[in-house]
């Protein structure tokens, strides 16, 4: 979908298709074209505006059904370098215990209407890390990319067969690599998995919710903390790494409500912001917090929030909004665009929560929003 520049609400369809896995949309900063990465018949394929003709990515990729995701991530750098990452699980071992990170990076030549791809790479990493945020050009590695991912293993892999949930999300990893080889591969577990007893029935959750890289090439990873028991405090955690993975800061957002979702971004004035949203029992809430940086010992805190909830009306927001940021090719400015999903029906007159599921597309709405930043 696209719309003309300005504030007109008139959206028109540019293309549509079928994918058996996650679909990614990025803007190419080098050519101002749109690239869509999709998986028709489980094959990674890129479609570029304005023709959106399909171009299959080279390499050897697993053919999976729509119920078995590739756990893919896709991002683009300021020079137009785009990187796709997937997880390959070894079928001869217990699921999620012996995995490989496979990736491929390339650039689009708008004058020739062609892609040039580096050779596909593979790195054995052991336990599965997935739901990656990919940042080409955002590390200290020459011609490299950085990334952040969540530890995602089965209860069998965790050696805790009595767990009530099938999977454990209990760690965050920063990693980087050269785009054309793994000789410069680096990784560090910024949130180390908590010990889990073999008899445990509930596991502690420390799951990545959002990540972004600022103009100083620092990676900010926001993750959700919960459990293992209901008596344990929930919290939003924040960890910051430099461009080579060194830990700069780690804490929780002590003044942020202990529920909801967060997104962080930077504006044209190099100010940092945190967008917080939640689905309440009678209304949805959206607040924008300025993020304050202080030193000489580096620390971050949240300022007085701007309440944007009235813009949501009576709609019940579902999950985390998506915002346009540099890893998707968006140039930073003094406004931020995004999309969010909400129930098709509104809260009723009594303010009761309208129940709906994000998988029920007939009962969902997708909204575009733009936040003009103060100052």
């Amino acid at each position: 979908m696209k719309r003309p520049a300005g504030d007109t609400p008139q959206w028109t369809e540019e293309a549509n298709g079928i994918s058996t896995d996650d679909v990614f949309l990025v803007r190419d900063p080098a050519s101002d074209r749109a690239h869509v990465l999709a998986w028709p018949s489980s094959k990674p394929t890129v479609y570029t505006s304005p023709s959106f003709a399909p171009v299959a990515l080279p390499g050897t990729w697993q053919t999976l059904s729509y119920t078995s995701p590739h756990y893919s991530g896709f991002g683009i750098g300021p020079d137009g370098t785009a990187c796709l990452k997937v997880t390959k699980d070894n079928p001869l071992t217990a699921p999620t215990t012996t995995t490989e990170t496979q990736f491929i990076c390339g650039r689009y030549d708008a004058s020739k209407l062609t892609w040039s791809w580096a050779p596909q790479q593979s790195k054995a990493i052991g336990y599965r890390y997935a739901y990656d945020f990919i940042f080409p050009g955002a590390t200290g590695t020459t011609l490299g990319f950085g990334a952040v991912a969540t530890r995602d293993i089965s209860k069998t892999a965790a050696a805790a067969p009595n767990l009530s949930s099938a999977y454990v999300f209990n760690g965050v990893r920063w990693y980087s690599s050269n785009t054309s080889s793994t000789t410069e591969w680096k990784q560090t577990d910024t949130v180390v998995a908590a010990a889990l007893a073999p008899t445990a029935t509930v596991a502690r959750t420390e799951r990545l919710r959002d990540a972004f890289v600022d103009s100083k090439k620092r990676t900010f990873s926001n993750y959700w903390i919960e459990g293992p028991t209901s008596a344990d405090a929930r919290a939003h955690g924040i960890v910051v790494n430099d461009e080579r993975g060194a830990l700069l800061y780690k804490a929780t957002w002590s003044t942020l409500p202990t529920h909801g979702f967060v997104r962080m971004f930077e504006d044209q004035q190099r100010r940092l912001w945190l967008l917080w949203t939640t689905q309440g029992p009678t209304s949805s809430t959206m607040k924008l917090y300025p993020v304050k940086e202080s030193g000489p010992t580096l620390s971050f805190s949240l300022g007085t929030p701007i309440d944007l909830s009235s813009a949501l009306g009576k709609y019940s927001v579902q999950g985390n909004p998506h915002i346009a940021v540099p890893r998707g090719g968006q140039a930073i400015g003094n406004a931020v665009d995004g999309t969010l999903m909400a129930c098709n029906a509104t809260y009723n007159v009594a303010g009761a929560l309208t129940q709906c599921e994000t998988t029920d597309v007939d009962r969902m709405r997708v909204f575009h929003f733009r936040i003009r930043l103060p100052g």
Side-chain angles (χ1 to χ4, degrees):
M1 304 287 289
K2 73 171 183 178
R3 70 174 192 174
D7 295 327
T8 172
Q10 298 176 345
W11 289 84
T12 57
E13 181 182 286
E14 283 201 283
N16 65 69
I18 296 176
S19 180
T20 59
D21 212 326
D22 291 333
V23 177
F24 301 88
L25 168 64
V26 300
R27 169 187 170 269
D28 191 330
S31 65
D32 197 30
R33 296 183 183 235
H35 302 308
V36 177
L37 189 285
W39 294 83
S41 301
S42 195
K43 305 296 183 184
T45 304
V46 66
Y47 306 79
T48 298
S49 64
S51 69
F52 292 100
V55 176
L57 272 64
T60 302
W61 309 92
Q62 283 184 305
T63 300
L64 304 173
S65 71
Y66 71 93
T67 59
S68 300
H70 290 85
Y71 296 98
S72 54
F74 190 65
I76 194 165
D79 67 347
T81 297
C83 294
L84 169 69
K85 171 268 172 184
V86 304
T87 293
K88 182 179 180 180
D89 210 340
N90 186 338
L92 302 180
T93 60
T96 74
T97 61
T98 311
T99 70
E100 297 176 15
T101 291
Q102 295 184 324
F103 64 88
I104 190 170
C105 299
R107 291 182 64 182
Y108 181 74
D109 187 331
S111 64
K112 298 178 180 178
L113 306 181
T114 58
W115 282 89
S116 297
W117 298 96
Q120 181 188 28
Q121 302 296 315
S122 185
K123 177 69 176 180
I125 64 167
Y127 289 124
R128 181 169 69 195
Y129 280 79
Y131 310 103
D132 307 66
F133 292 79
I134 309 294
F135 307 103
T139 74
T141 304
T142 304
L143 299 176
F145 69 92
V148 188
T150 292
R151 190 173 191 258
D152 170 21
I153 64 173
S154 68
K155 63 181 181 181
T156 301
N162 298 324
L163 288 178
S164 58
S165 58
Y167 292 91
V168 181
F169 306 94
N170 66 343
V172 177
R173 174 175 290 173
W174 179 98
Y175 66 95
S176 70
S177 178
N178 188 286
T179 55
S180 59
S181 74
T182 59
T183 57
E184 296 183 56
W185 179 277
K186 295 177 62 178
Q187 66 183 47
T188 179
D189 291 343
T190 54
V191 179
V192 179
L196 191 60
T199 57
T201 58
V202 181
R204 179 177 174 82
T205 294
E206 291 180 295
R207 182 172 186 174
L208 188 66
R209 284 278 182 83
D210 178 67
F212 96 103
V213 174
D214 72 356
S215 55
K216 298 178 182 178
K217 293 191 176 182
R218 300 178 299 187
T219 302
F220 291 74
S221 302
N222 284 278
Y223 61 102
W224 174 243
I225 304 168
E226 183 178 6
T229 69
S230 58
D232 292 316
R234 299 177 177 181
H236 294 279
I238 172 68
V239 60
V240 184
N241 298 87
D242 72 9
E243 61 183 311
R244 296 185 181 276
L247 180 65
L248 299 177
Y249 179 75
K250 186 176 182 180
T252 59
W253 294 117
S254 59
T255 59
L256 198 63
T258 56
H259 54 90
F261 296 88
V262 301
R263 293 288 190 198
M264 280 188 71
F265 62 94
E266 183 180 33
D267 69 13
Q268 199 169 43
Q269 301 177 52
R270 302 300 185 257
R271 298 176 299 180
L272 302 177
W273 300 90
L274 185 146
L275 183 65
W276 176 79
T277 56
T278 190
Q279 174 201 51
T282 60
S283 63
S284 295
T285 303
M286 175 184 284
K287 293 184 178 182
L288 181 65
Y289 292 81
V291 179
K292 300 179 179 180
E293 180 177 340
S294 58
T297 301
L298 184 66
S299 66
F300 297 91
S301 61
L302 300 178
T304 303
I306 303 168
D307 195 336
L308 306 173
S309 306
S310 61
L312 302 178
K314 295 184 177 180
Y315 289 100
S316 178
V317 173
Q318 302 288 298
N320 212 354
H322 296 276
I323 59 175
V325 290
R327 68 182 175 87
Q330 177 67 35
I332 61 174
N334 289 323
V336 63
D337 287 82
T339 60
L340 56 83
M341 296 185 70
C343 297
N344 185 42
T346 61
Y347 289 99
N348 62 29
V349 176
L353 177 63
T354 301
Q355 296 295 327
C356 67
E357 299 293 335
T358 55
T359 53
D360 187 352
V361 295
D362 293 330
R363 299 173 63 190
M364 300 303 302
R365 293 174 182 256
V366 178
F367 290 94
H368 166 264
F369 63 87
R370 173 172 294 163
I371 301 173
R372 296 177 179 84
L373 302 171

